[in-house]
Amino acid sequence: MEVELKEMLNDLESLKRSLTDPSHHAPIDQLQLRVERLTSLASSGPVRRSKVKDMSAEVVDSNPYSRLMALQRMGIVENYERIRDFSVAIVGVGGVGSVAAEMLTRCGIGRLLLYDYDKVELANMNRLFFRPEQSGMTKTDAAVQTLSDINPDVVLESYTLNITTVQGFDTFMSSLKDKSFRPNKEGSGVDLVLSCVDNYEARMAVNQACNELNQTWMESGVSEDAVSGHIQLLIPGETACFACAPPLVVASGVDERTLKREGVCAASLPTTMGVVAGLLVQNTLKYLLNFGNVSPYLGYNSLKDFFPTMEMKPNPQCSNFACLERQKEFLLVKPARDAALKAKMEAEASSSVTECPLHLDNEWEISVVDDSEPDRIEAKSADALPEGLVRELPNADEFQKSPTEAADATIDDLEDLRKQLEALNS
Amino acid sequence: MEGWDPNTKSTLTQIPLLTTKAGPRDGAAWTQRLKEEYKALIAYTQMNKSNDNDWFRISADNPEGTRWTGKCWYVHNLLKYEFDLQFDIPVTYPATAPELELPELDGKTQKMYRGGKICLTVHFKPLWAKNCPRFGIAHALCLGLAPWLAAEIPILVDSGMVKHKDDAASSAES
């Protein structure tokens, strides 16, 4: 384009010289000026920034990381540049996932893995990140297009697949295990999995994968009415997994005749989605770069601006087998971990002020008991009921053991059964 | 289960319940589950035929039994409307229900997710969750797809979104 414009200028110049009548010179001068303006516009067009080898803290306009590296000077983060070692997998590149991906990209994360099977639609434009001209592209391709422009230092991997299908799940698992980015890393190939999906099935699939891989992950969600959301940290065996506390299902006794036309279109707002993505990535940065307190659960109710937090212990009767395995492993390593933590706390405490009793007398022997300490005796005998109480219903474990109906003498061969159904179908 | 019509209720009680809690990644246990799925489907199909209420065909598309395809139909004003039916068994099955798809109706109704997945959230998912692992594919068809067709097809036909195949053929000729 610039070459074309230059040739045009030359042509105009020769035209001017060939004209003998000076009255024609004025409009040609004007044309020349306009072409010059166009040339300067063209040269200021989109420039791709080149890759940066090392993050520098130097404060110059051209340093994309100066404001991030300043976190070190402010005493918030000890070593910000470590962020380039980390891999984060984002499952679901929708209203929350895409924004979270952009935030992490701008933070200079080492590697991002993106999973989604959907396409960008105009109906997505009430949310952030995607642009109208990207509609029709897969969300993963569109995201890679934008993110690689924003920060070419980030290694982007995109997977256009549905993780709830058997095949998709296998690819999902093997991509999480792949350690080629940082071969000496312990455990799986990623540091954190972020679940930004919009349905129960996909959350259960992420939960299954992370429980099996012993992979820490964070779950996020925005309510159907778009005015509340939450984020949750899930450490297999240590905190509740997604299947430990199944969502409260209330069979409302619906009649199929009442099952009419509400539509399944959920509401969404760029604000709520952005807030939840922000909370999610903030927790991610705290977890990865080791600063502040990592929230185990943080809710967001926008109508009342209420932010509840809580902790959830794993369910010893969780229906997920891998979760139970992780719980057993955690109980084994817990005493050593607690002792180390206590020693560290004591070391910190002794270096600070010497403790003295808050009150001189304590007539009623009131004391503060730490209830964050998991009651292990209780966990072991969670099934045991206090004396005098009996269960009305058999518990789930016993149901499993209940005699499977006297082995029916009918056919029990898969192929025969398949043929029988085919016969009925024909 | 209050609120369901007595027909559905009595049909449901006759479909054999399943006992094995296993998904497609569970090896031999999945084979066992698959046998139970077949038994329930066979019993349900037989029952429908003997009650003159035959309304679907479904069979496994692969030897592992993780992908199923077939047809389902619904009679409205004495005309039969038939649709392709397909679904995958999710990896977290049976903790999560299969997502039944009618690809031909994709984009024609609001009560559907992308790709033609019918909306089961309100009327079926709670039942499935409460009855895991005893419900299987046959139950999903009986309690998930059948009521959806009954509620949705009449509206789609009356609004002209769905045309009977004879009408569609004749209008294409003219």
Side-chain angles (χ1 to χ4, degrees):
Chain A
M1 174 140 162
E2 278 157 78
V3 183
E4 285 281 300
L5 286 168
K6 199 160 189 178
E7 276 173 21
M8 197 165 164
L9 266 182
N10 290 340
D11 291 350
L12 282 171
E13 189 60 42
S14 49
L15 183 71
K16 200 162 110 180
R17 260 184 265 130
S18 66
L19 287 172
T20 44
D21 186 359
S23 66
H24 290 315
H25 283 188
I28 291 179
D29 280 343
Q30 246 177 0
L31 267 178
Q32 273 179 320
L33 267 176
R34 286 174 78 173
V35 173
E36 270 162 26
R37 263 211 302 268
L38 272 179
T39 316
S40 70
L41 261 181
S43 63
S44 69
V47 234
R48 277 188 71 117
R49 90 154 164 87
S50 52
K51 293 193 180 191
V52 175
K53 195 164 160 286
D54 293 301
M55 280 190 176
S56 110
E58 195 191 357
V59 185
V60 286
D61 294 351
S62 59
N63 179 4
Y65 297 117
S66 59
R67 306 301 170 103
L68 293 165
M69 294 299 279
L71 285 165
Q72 290 181 187
R73 203 156 32 80
M74 299 283 169
I76 299 293
V77 178
E78 210 169 294
N79 178 4
Y80 189 86
E81 202 167 355
R82 272 176 68 210
I83 200 162
R84 303 189 103 170
D85 295 339
F86 297 128
S87 299
V88 174
I90 297 183
V91 187
V93 191
V96 173
S98 60
V99 178
E102 178 172 345
M103 287 176 174
L104 286 170
T105 300
R106 290 184 187 272
C107 285
I109 192 86
R111 185 172 70 132
L112 273 185
L113 297 87
L114 306 170
Y115 305 84
D116 205 304
Y117 67 92
D118 227 347
K119 289 198 167 123
V120 181
E121 293 175 355
L122 284 179
N124 301 141
M125 293 307 140
N126 71 323
R127 277 154 270 172
L128 307 173
F129 190 72
F130 290 118
R131 296 189 304 270
E133 66 267 24
Q134 289 176 319
S135 53
M137 291 174 80
T138 63
K139 287 187 175 172
T140 45
D141 285 348
V144 168
Q145 184 185 56
T146 307
L147 297 177
S148 58
D149 273 351
I150 291 174
N151 188 344
D153 298 332
V154 180
V155 178
L156 295 164
E157 286 177 26
S158 74
Y159 298 88
T160 311
L161 49 82
N162 179 352
I163 63 158
T164 66
T165 64
V166 177
Q167 210 188 357
F169 189 79
D170 283 344
T171 317
F172 178 49
M173 286 281 276
S174 52
S175 66
L176 292 182
K177 283 189 231 163
D178 179 22
K179 289 214 253 191
S180 48
F181 180 70
R182 194 152 59 102
N184 53 357
K185 184 187 171 302
E186 275 178 47
S188 75
V190 297
D191 296 274
L192 192 66
V193 174
L194 300 181
S195 161
C196 306
V197 298
D198 62 356
N199 63 84
Y200 179 68
E201 287 76 16
R203 286 189 174 91
M204 287 293 273
V206 176
N207 186 58
Q208 181 68 34
C210 291
N211 277 342
E212 285 182 23
L213 296 171
N214 198 7
Q215 172 65 54
T216 299
W217 62 291
M218 285 183 201
E219 141 60 19
S220 68
V222 175
S223 65
E224 239 179 7
D225 59 8
V227 287
S228 55
H230 74 276
I231 60 161
Q232 184 182 349
L233 171 73
L234 297 100
I235 308 172
E238 191 176 333
T239 68
C241 89
F242 195 73
C244 277
L248 185 65
V249 277
V250 185
S252 42
V254 270
D255 184 340
E256 58 263 42
R257 277 158 299 188
T258 66
L259 194 153
K260 294 258 161 77
R261 309 256 106 206
E262 280 103 15
V264 290
C265 184
S268 65
L269 277 172
T271 47
T272 317
M273 296 262 177
V275 169
V276 170
L279 294 176
L280 180 69
V281 175
Q282 193 80 300
N283 220 31
T284 301
L285 293 175
K286 289 195 284 184
Y287 173 80
L288 294 175
L289 297 171
N290 204 8
F291 64 96
N293 291 327
V294 182
S295 287
Y297 175 97
L298 178 57
Y300 169 48
N301 175 339
S302 78
L303 297 182
K304 300 206 161 160
D305 279 342
F306 176 50
F307 294 81
T309 59
M310 61 176 179
E311 266 175 77
M312 275 192 279
K313 290 179 205 165
N315 175 2
Q317 293 177 330
C318 181
S319 63
N320 188 298
F321 181 72
C323 173
L324 295 179
E325 292 286 294
R326 298 291 94 77
Q327 288 186 40
K328 274 187 222 152
E329 289 167 15
F330 179 68
L331 279 183
L332 290 178
V333 298
K334 192 173 179 300
R337 252 185 43 163
D338 283 354
L341 199 71
K342 206 175 159 201
K344 199 179 148 208
M345 295 264 280
E346 271 167 9
E348 273 172 23
S350 64
S351 65
S352 61
V353 238
T354 47
E355 238 178 286
C356 63
L358 220 54
H359 306 279
L360 288 176
D361 53 357
N362 186 3
E363 193 183 345
W364 309 103
E365 296 188 340
I366 295 167
S367 64
V368 180
V369 180
D370 184 7
D371 67 358
S372 68
E373 169 77 7
D375 200 345
R376 245 179 317 135
I377 305 139
E378 197 193 331
K380 265 183 194 157
S381 55
D383 290 347
L385 286 172
E387 215 180 333
L389 289 182
V390 281
R391 286 179 200 279
E392 189 182 14
L393 296 168
N395 74 13
D397 302 337
E398 278 163 39
F399 171 78
Q400 294 285 322
K401 285 173 211 137
S402 70
T404 39
E405 328 149 18
D408 38 345
T410 51
I411 345 164
D412 200 43
D413 179 75
L414 197 58
E415 196 50 32
D416 288 348
L417 284 165
R418 200 182 59 78
K419 279 185 190 142
Q420 202 182 336
L421 183 64
E422 287 309 313
L424 277 173
N425 280 348
S426 58
Chain B
M1 284 303 293
E2 293 131 42
W4 287 82
D5 71 292
N7 261 341
T8 314
K9 226 167 166 175
S10 75
T11 312
L12 181 73
T13 52
Q14 290 172 58
I15 306 176
L17 291 173
L18 291 75
T19 53
T20 311
K21 183 175 179 286
R25 295 168 68 246
D26 294 334
W30 170 243
T31 313
Q32 183 56 37
R33 168 92 191 184
L34 209 50
K35 288 178 191 168
E36 296 175 9
E37 296 281 3
Y38 272 116
K39 284 179 193 163
L41 276 170
I42 289 165
Y44 184 37
T45 313
Q46 276 171 341
M47 193 194 324
N48 285 337
K49 287 196 170 186
S50 59
N51 294 340
D52 197 21
N53 182 32
D54 199 18
W55 67 276
F56 70 86
R57 290 284 171 270
I58 194 79
S59 53
D61 218 24
N62 56 4
E64 302 82 29
T66 58
R67 171 124 190 115
W68 295 72
T69 52
K71 298 254 179 217
C72 63
W73 55 90
Y74 185 78
V75 176
H76 177 61
N77 290 342
L78 303 178
L79 291 172
K80 179 178 163 185
Y81 298 87
E82 192 175 78
F83 309 100
D84 286 337
L85 166 67
Q86 62 184 46
F87 56 90
D88 283 294
I89 300 291
V91 273
T92 44
Y93 191 81
T96 56
E99 298 185 278
L100 308 174
E101 296 166 31
L102 304 177
E104 289 156 279
L105 294 184
D106 190 12
K108 294 193 172 173
T109 157
Q110 292 185 354
K111 296 225 62 121
M112 188 168 258
Y113 295 102
R114 220 175 324 292
K117 291 173 182 162
I118 68 167
C119 175
L120 298 167
T121 317
V122 181
H123 72 289
F124 178 62
K125 295 271 178 78
L127 286 173
W128 180 274
K130 278 194 166 178
N131 289 284
C132 171
R134 280 159 284 176
F135 277 5
I137 295 168
H139 301 84
L141 296 175
C142 174
L143 293 173
L145 182 57
W148 190 92
L149 289 173
E152 211 50 28
I153 299 307
I155 292 169
L156 284 172
V157 170
D158 294 346
S159 66
M161 272 307 231
V162 166
K163 288 214 162 45
H164 191 262
K165 58 179 190 300
D166 296 346
D167 290 349
S170 61
S171 62
E173 276 160 27
S174 60

